[in-house]
Each structure stands twice: as structure tokens, then as C-alpha cells.
Amino acid sequence: MLIVDDDALIGAGLLQQILETADDIEVLAACDGVQAIKEIARCRPDVVLLDVRMPEVDGPAVLSSLGEQDSPPAVAMLTAFSDEEDVARALGMGAAGFLLKDTAPEDFAHAVRLLASGNGVFSPLIGRSVIDGYLGSHERRDACQRASAEDPRWVSLTLREREALTLLSTGLSNPEISRKLLLSTATVKEHVSSIIMKLGVANRVQAAVLAHTLYPRAASPDFSC
């Protein structure tokens, strides 16, 4: 995984030291957006923790550049405060999560593992505002008012996919969904991939948001680490 932060204490220091204590996580660091783009292309990390605000090339610009990759890493944005505008912008670009820099040290390793397994992660304070921020910035409020259970994207989902989406939207991981539906984790992973493709979204976080906004009776997501 790669940590990108222009604050040496976080990017190259404390956070890196915390994550390196985990036997299953290999940690690299970059001090700015330019270096981050080079390191991501060179090392192809599975997970990137990306600072939102950096000089010259900021976090969203780095995130945008990843859209050109065939298999981009899972990216969680790092920020010192909860800003709905930043959250909405990053979600629209395909971010899989948003973490406050004062997140408890033990929670960072857990978040990295969740990201690596294809799950989304949000610090609790951000989780409470993420839906409203995403809706406002992407003009989804009108779409929500127009949508119904007859939306073609919802209709295109199989019954199992709808069940999986509903559980995904409550924040469950693939193994947790598999236990609920009595399916193998591999089968759930296939369902989630199909859901993402049929809904035309970038990742499971956007799928959960869409489920909540277009089909509120089918989903009630709770984003938190």
C-alpha cells in the first residue's frame, strides 16, 4: 500500500510506522501528488491512502489520473476535517473511502484491509454526512425524486443481486453478505461486480449510495470503519 501526504509526520512518519507493525501490510510513502502518480505507476499498490489537500497536484487530481489504469488501486482520502464538498468530489471520482487523520491508530490497519478486500471505509463523522454531500454536489436529489422501483438499473438486477445490494448498502463486507445469503464469498464477489457494472458506478461505495438514493426502501447504508 502507499501513503501519500505532504505532512512528514503523517505521510512518512507516524502513520507509516503504525501500519508497518502489521505483518500483512507492506508500506510505501510519497510526499506529494507528483511523486504519488509515479509511485503508483511503478509499484501498482493495492491500496492508497491519499491526502486531499497538497500543493501543485492535490489528492483529487491524483485520484482522477488513476482512471486511466486498467486495475486502479482502492483509494481512501485522508483529511484533517470533514468537508462534504471534498467527500462528494472524491466519491464522484471513484474513491472507496474517506478517513480523518485523527482516526485511532488501530483503525488504520483495519481500514487498509477492508479496502484491499474491496470494501469502502468512512470515518464515523464523515459517514453521517457523506450521503447528503454526495447528493448535493452531484444533483442527485432530483434524480431521487424521479426514481422508482421501475428504474431500469434496478430492474436489470437479479433477485440475488438486489439482496446483495441491500446488504452491501448496510455496510456489510463480502464474507458477511455470504453468510447472510448462504452463498460462497466468491459468488458474492461475482454478484457485487455485476451490480457495479449494471448500475454504471465505479465501486461498491457508489453502488451503496445509489441504492440508498434511488431505492430508499431497499437500502439504508451506514458508512463507518
Side-chain angles (χ1 to χ4, degrees):
M1 65 144 303
L2 178 69
I3 303 167
V4 185
D5 198 310
D6 64 338
D7 183 335
L9 177 63
I10 298 296
L14 180 59
L15 181 53
Q16 184 172 0
Q17 291 175 18
I18 290 169
L19 291 172
E20 283 177 340
T21 62
D23 294 335
D24 58 337
I25 300 176
E26 182 179 350
V27 187
L28 300 172
C31 62
D32 59 44
V34 174
Q35 184 184 8
I37 292 172
K38 293 178 181 178
E39 286 297 302
I40 292 169
R42 182 178 71 85
C43 302
R44 308 290 292 190
D46 295 322
V47 173
V48 176
L49 300 184
L50 180 60
D51 191 16
V52 172
R53 301 191 176 183
M54 296 181 291
E56 296 186 34
V57 179
D58 65 6
V62 175
L63 182 60
S64 178
S65 73
L66 300 182
E68 301 172 3
Q69 293 189 4
D70 293 333
S71 300
V75 177
M77 310 303 289
L78 286 172
T79 184
F81 50 87
S82 176
D83 186 310
E84 289 185 2
E85 214 171 287
D86 286 337
V87 173
R89 184 182 176 200
L91 276 176
M93 292 179 173
F98 234 89
L99 296 169
L100 294 175
K101 291 183 180 180
D102 63 358
T103 295
E106 62 272 15
D107 288 342
F108 272 112
H110 179 57
V112 169
R113 294 186 184 101
L114 286 173
L115 289 163
S117 63
N119 292 289
V121 294
F122 285 87
S123 292
L125 286 176
I126 293 174
R128 287 194 290 269
S129 65
V130 65
I131 296 295
D132 287 340
Y134 185 75
L135 287 176
S137 294
H138 291 76
E139 298 179 351
R140 298 269 179 120
R141 294 189 189 278
D142 291 340
C144 182
Q145 292 171 356
R146 294 192 303 268
S148 71
E150 299 305 314
D151 184 284
R153 289 168 293 185
W154 178 256
V155 173
S156 71
L157 301 178
T158 65
L159 176 59
R160 274 303 197 193
E161 288 169 351
R162 294 180 190 181
E163 292 173 341
L165 178 58
T166 299
L167 294 172
L168 180 159
S169 299
T170 66
L172 296 186
S173 65
N174 287 353
E176 290 169 331
I177 294 173
S178 72
R179 289 192 289 272
K180 291 280 188 180
L181 297 182
L182 301 179
L183 299 171
S184 70
T185 302
T187 298
V188 171
K189 186 175 181 180
E190 290 176 3
H191 284 326
V192 172
S193 295
S194 178
I195 289 166
I196 289 171
M197 180 189 68
K198 290 180 178 180
L199 295 185
V201 294
N203 53 40
R204 64 191 292 131
V205 174
Q206 289 187 359
V209 172
L210 191 62
H212 178 77
T213 57
L214 295 184
Y215 327 112
R217 287 174 296 183
S220 181
D222 175 20
F223 297 102
S224 60
C225 286

